[in-house]
Amino acid sequence: MRSSLATFLDDFRRHGDATAIVAYRGNRRIASTWAELATLADRCAAELMRRQISMGERVVLWGSNGLEWMAAFFGCLQRGVIVVPLDPAGALDFAQRVIENTRPQLILGHRELLRSLGESLPTFAFEDFAQQLPQPSGTDLRDPALALDTPFQILFTSGTTAEPKGIVHTHRNVLASLDPIEREMQKYLKYERPFHPIRFLHTLPLSHVFGQFMGLWIPPLLAAEVHFETRLQAQRLIETIHRERISVVCSVPRVLDLLRSHLLALEPSLAERIQAAGGEKAWKRWWRFRKIHRLFGYKFWAFVCGGASLSSDLESFW
């Protein structure tokens, strides 16, 4: 087992100039490398040291998925500062209650969200990271007291009818699940080489455990690319999967249902054709549905679905 989750920064540096993150802002496509992510995470850690925010103190993270979010997260991680991630699509009053409960030393996020909190709280906008974060000293910024049982985040359940409940996660909590995956994965990495890089289309908030596993922990093990998409429109998702040669879509069942509805609108007879293909060998099914495969692109091969129950009919359709 890794000594802590901060060791992922070593993976980032080893992957170097390979693309790590692709974020979409309107019509803009913003790509960042693993090396850039590691450097920005170090600068965030240096900012925490400059502000004298120490191990065990809390920082709220409220913004959209992307380079700055991940850099802030890993900057806190290596300093032992506890991250309190909030869903950027969540309600303002929920965010305010979480902030009141956790009493953070700093709130990091997108400027528009931070403005909604007023001016009484210490904030630092993602948009200012590039210009205002200090340069790291070049020494290892990890707090030497980091251990498996060090808390690294507090995740809050939705508290629409009651006070939100914060669940404290330690490094060991994540690594207990991740370690067997990483160990077993070593047997199969040689088969991944012809298809490298694996590209994940990530449609989940990084403020949830499933979103974190598919956005923060699994991709570095494969030096995979993570493409963050927040606009869940079926046509846009399919175009992105095809254009970017996406390998895996990470989603909740609602996204699979959205894509199914879109395909059935394009081809009304699709459901009957699927039923008629029952029991066929894989290569015959592939040929029968070649138009669908061509629509998504030939590198796309899997959905990883979680966060809610998957209905049997939706599973059978795909």
Side-chain angles (χ1 to χ4, degrees), residues 77-89:
L77 194 72
Q78 59 183 318
R79 296 301 306 155
V81 173
I82 298 175
V83 179
V84 184
L86 293 174
D87 189 337

Side-chain angles (χ1 to χ4, degrees), residues 19 38 40 42 44 50 58-59 64 66 109 111 115 126 137 157 178-179 212 216 243 261 266 268 287 299:
T19 299
L40 197 59
D42 285 346
C44 289
R50 187 185 71 80
R58 290 163 292 283
V59 166
S64 300
R111 183 174 287 115
R115 282 175 178 162
F126 286 167
S137 61
T157 59
L178 192 63
D179 183 64
Q212 289 184 356
L216 304 179
R243 182 185 67 250
S261 296
L266 290 177
W287 183 253
K299 198 178 180 186

Side-chain angles (χ1 to χ4, degrees), residues 122-312:
T123 61
F124 197 142
F126 286 167
E127 291 85 350
D128 296 329
F129 273 19
Q131 298 299 322
Q132 297 185 19
L133 285 175
Q135 293 298 327
S137 61
T139 58
D140 192 345
L141 295 167
R142 291 176 216 177
D143 191 302
L146 275 182
L148 285 172
D149 293 316
T150 301
F152 75 92
Q153 74 175 346
I154 305 174
L155 288 186
F156 277 83
T157 59
S158 59
T160 53
T161 58
E163 284 303 304
K165 299 174 179 65
I167 310 301
V168 179
H169 291 185
T170 68
H171 292 249
R172 189 189 301 275
N173 291 145
V174 172
L175 288 169
S177 296
L178 192 63
D179 183 64
I181 296 172
E182 182 173 12
R183 189 169 59 248
E184 194 70 15
M185 189 181 287
Q186 303 308 310
K187 302 176 184 178
Y188 303 99
L189 287 180
K190 62 183 178 182
Y191 302 111
E192 185 264 351
R193 288 173 195 152
F195 307 99
H196 193 80
I198 299 294
R199 298 183 179 95
F200 290 69
L201 183 61
H202 190 285
T203 65
L204 310 156
L206 288 173
S207 54
H208 294 172
V209 171
F210 180 44
Q212 289 184 356
F213 254 82
M214 301 312 302
L216 304 179
W217 312 127
I218 297 296
L221 303 181
L222 297 162
E225 293 180 13
V226 184
H227 293 240
F228 289 118
E229 180 56 87
T230 57
R231 289 183 291 179
L232 303 183
Q233 302 161 349
Q235 183 63 36
R236 179 183 174 88
L237 290 173
I238 291 172
E239 288 173 357
T240 300
I241 292 166
H242 188 107
R243 182 185 67 250
E244 300 289 347
R245 303 183 72 233
I246 296 296
S247 316
V248 177
V249 170
C250 312
S251 70
V252 294
R254 183 170 64 89
V255 174
L256 272 67
D257 194 27
L258 185 74
L259 292 170
R260 175 176 64 175
S261 296
H262 181 75
L263 293 181
L264 290 173
L266 290 177
E267 294 200 32
S269 64
L270 185 57
E272 289 76 15
R273 290 170 55 210
I274 289 173
Q275 189 172 7
E280 283 186 348
K281 293 182 178 179
W283 67 268
K284 285 187 176 181
R285 292 175 63 87
W286 189 96
W287 183 253
R288 181 190 287 268
F289 300 110
R290 61 191 181 278
K291 285 179 64 178
I292 305 297
H293 288 288
R294 185 163 62 245
L295 185 67
F296 281 82
Y298 295 123
K299 198 178 180 186
F300 175 68
W301 55 273
F303 291 104
V304 178
C305 187
S309 60
L310 178 65
S311 65
S312 58

Side-chain angles (χ1 to χ4, degrees), residues 78-126:
Q78 59 183 318
R79 296 301 306 155
V81 173
I82 298 175
V83 179
V84 184
L86 293 174
D87 189 337
L92 174 60
D93 65 329
F94 178 76
Q96 290 171 329
R97 281 186 289 156
V98 168
I99 290 167
E100 183 179 349
N101 285 349
T102 56
R103 299 183 180 180
Q105 300 297 308
L106 182 64
I107 304 172
L108 303 171
H110 282 106
R111 183 174 287 115
E112 183 178 351
L113 290 170
L114 299 182
R115 282 175 178 162
S116 67
L117 296 172
E119 299 181 357
S120 61
L121 298 166
T123 61
F124 197 142
F126 286 167

Side-chain angles (χ1 to χ4, degrees), residues 12 16-25 29-38 40 64-71 74 200 202 206 215-216 219-220 223-229 244:
F12 298 170
D17 292 331
T19 299
I21 302 164
V22 179
Y24 302 96
R25 301 280 185 266
R29 179 188 188 275
I30 306 165
S32 308
T33 67
W34 291 103
E36 289 169 339
L37 173 56
L40 197 59
S64 300
N65 299 350
L67 172 66
E68 292 80 10
W69 197 105
M70 290 180 67
F74 281 99
F200 290 69
H202 190 285
L206 288 173
L216 304 179
E225 293 180 13
V226 184
H227 293 240
F228 289 118
E229 180 56 87
E244 300 289 347

Side-chain angles (χ1 to χ4, degrees), residues 1-13:
M1 185 180 289
R2 293 169 181 256
S3 59
S4 76
L5 292 168
T7 59
F8 273 89
L9 286 151
D10 300 329
D11 297 67
F12 298 170
R13 295 185 179 96

